[in-house]
Amino acid sequence: MRPFLIICTLATAWFTLALGAMLTGTIATAAVPKGTRIPANVAIVGSAPGLFIVRSDDPDYVRDLYRNGAKLVLPARKKTCLALQG
């Protein structure tokens, strides 16, 4: 039961950080589900299974992604949101 609680706590903390970044639009590099329409001011810099890794110099690009139909925008590091090396 203890490992389950640890995993749930970590997942909740990560989701809370992702939600905060989503609402404030301060994600430097993001992961969005494949099939999301990518605005012109956003560049696809990589991909992972089922995800596009995107980046933009526009500070409001996260909001643009949501306006274009993204269901979820997650903070990402170089390749995926779970990459351990920046």
Side-chain angles (χ1 to χ4, degrees):
M1 186 71 170
R2 185 178 170 132
F4 177 74
L5 291 175
I6 291 170
I7 291 170
C8 286
T9 301
L10 291 173
T12 301
W14 177 81
F15 185 75
T16 302
L17 290 172
L19 183 62
M22 173 186 76
L23 295 175
T24 61
T26 58
I27 301 173
T29 304
V32 296
K34 286 188 177 175
T36 300
R37 289 182 306 142
I38 306 298
N41 65 332
V42 178
I44 298 174
V45 295
S47 67
L51 300 171
F52 286 129
I53 310 303
V54 297
R55 180 179 199 96
S56 178
D57 292 330
D58 181 0
D60 291 328
Y61 86 98
V62 172
R63 288 188 180 102
D64 291 342
L65 288 168
Y66 279 110
R67 281 187 209 118
N68 279 290
K71 301 290 184 205
L72 187 62
V73 178
L74 301 172
R77 299 190 69 179
K78 281 188 180 180
K79 294 286 183 188
T80 68
C81 51
L82 299 176
L84 297 177
Q85 295 180 358

